[in-house]
Amino acid sequence: MTPALALESPTLVRFTNARGRQREVVRESGSRGSVLVIDRDAGTGGDNRLVAHLAADEPTVNAELVARRYAADARGARARAVRSEDRDSAWGEAGELPAPFEPDAETIACAPLQTMFRLGLVESSMSISALRWRCFHHGHDPSPRVVSLREVIGSVESYEPALAITRAALARSASASVCILRQEHARVCSSPIVLNRGLREAVLRTIAHSDVSMSEIAMRCGRVKRDRRGNVSGETSWLARRIGLLAEGGAAAPTPWIHSDVLALIAREGLVLSPREVEL
């Protein structure tokens, strides 16, 4: 259902969730001028879920933009319950004010793709610019492509330093909109889809230093195939796709991502390791 912008403050938007329940996203005042964007039951005002905690110096329109995106996105249900400290502390509160975030100050290089990523200013539909990640090809790109934080992480197959740079921008930027960047950061941090590089390295290390094969690892995970004579072997192509060695059907390149449940299955059953040992 397409959300409709409510006319009365503090309600920002009303919508019907996947369970058919009426919800509303409201704006509440937080500590030191910060703003809480909260999803709650439209009838009772209960079941408060924190959508975003906006700094005091962010444009007021950011609350509406966050609310609209949240209501239109089925993944919005991942918002966590509001805690007492959310209303008692300012977003990014610290003892001293940090230095302002400097756009384009740091570069993340991706040698295999001959690209680099920088977090800088781009034009937006609002009166101020937005902070977004951009991809530069071959180091000298006059028209870089705007990309998501998730694409940056997937391209370099590492969460850092992209997450650290993003967190610094969210905490210290006062002259640009960061609402989209904040949503991208929240989704990456809460998503069950995680990088598979650590798992891939563990599989290759196991194969190189033991008698265990890709076929046996796949069989331990319940992925079995039989040839015309009935001989049983492990489905190695399934394993290779999950750990990023082989592209999915129709895809140009292997995926750097895997569902955390599948990662746990391969780690526990296939490698006899704790999933934490192969997570990045």
Side-chain angles (χ1 to χ4, degrees):
M1 178 177 178
T2 301
L5 189 65
L7 298 177
E8 296 180 0
S9 181
T11 301
L12 299 169
V13 66
R14 293 190 178 94
F15 66 101
T16 303
N17 68 10
R19 298 181 179 180
R21 297 177 179 175
Q22 295 295 314
R23 306 285 296 185
E24 62 180 0
V25 181
V26 301
R27 172 172 40 209
E28 289 188 11
S29 297
S31 177
R32 300 188 184 181
S34 64
V35 174
L36 302 177
V37 181
I38 295 175
D39 168 28
R40 69 186 186 187
D41 184 273
T44 66
D47 187 26
N48 284 207
R49 318 290 297 179
L50 183 65
V51 177
H53 194 168
L54 306 181
D57 53 10
E58 283 206 43
T60 56
V61 70
N62 279 4
E64 294 184 1
L65 292 175
V66 169
R68 283 184 178 275
R69 287 179 176 272
Y70 175 85
D73 192 338
R75 289 174 293 184
R78 298 185 65 85
R80 66 166 173 81
V82 175
R83 302 167 183 158
S84 59
E85 56 265 30
D86 292 328
R87 292 186 170 94
D88 296 335
S89 62
W91 191 93
E93 191 170 63
E96 297 181 0
L97 291 177
F101 177 78
E102 184 178 347
D104 294 324
E106 298 185 65
T107 296
I108 300 176
C110 182
L113 300 179
Q114 293 186 313
T115 60
M116 60 180 58
F117 300 93
R118 295 195 188 106
L119 182 58
L121 300 173
V122 301
E123 293 184 0
S124 70
S125 58
M126 300 185 297
S127 58
I128 63 173
S129 299
L131 269 176
R132 299 294 305 278
W133 281 100
R134 294 162 301 153
C135 175
F136 296 78
H137 292 281
H138 307 290
H140 302 284
D141 191 347
S143 56
R145 179 171 58 93
V146 175
V147 297
S148 67
L149 171 61
R150 187 176 189 82
E151 184 171 340
V152 177
I153 292 171
S155 296
V156 300
E157 295 190 78
S158 177
Y159 289 102
E160 301 296 351
L163 282 181
I165 295 172
T166 298
R167 284 192 292 266
L170 294 176
R172 292 155 44 193
S173 177
S175 59
S177 171
V178 294
C179 60
I180 295 178
L181 187 64
R182 176 172 288 119
Q183 286 187 321
E184 291 178 349
H185 178 269
R187 288 174 183 169
V188 166
C189 293
S190 62
S191 174
I193 308 301
V194 298
L195 288 175
N196 61 21
R197 179 171 60 83
L199 178 63
R200 177 171 67 250
E201 293 171 350
V203 169
L204 296 178
R205 189 166 52 247
T206 298
I207 294 172
H209 296 90
S210 69
D211 295 330
V212 178
S213 65
M214 291 271 288
S215 177
E216 182 173 346
I217 294 173
M219 290 181 67
R220 291 176 180 177
C221 296
R223 305 297 298 202
V224 177
K225 62 181 180 180
R226 292 177 173 80
D227 61 19
R228 294 180 179 178
R229 298 182 178 180
N231 297 316
V232 177
S233 61
E235 193 176 341
T236 56
S237 60
W238 169 84
L239 179 60
R241 292 189 183 97
R242 300 292 81 75
I243 64 175
L245 291 178
L246 184 66
E248 298 284 352
T255 177
W257 304 102
I258 186 173
H259 196 286
S260 55
D261 289 347
V262 181
L263 178 144
L265 169 68
I266 297 174
R268 290 196 183 101
E269 304 299 331
L271 302 176
V272 195
L273 294 173
S274 166
R276 292 187 178 275
E277 295 182 60
V278 298
E279 292 175 345
L280 293 177

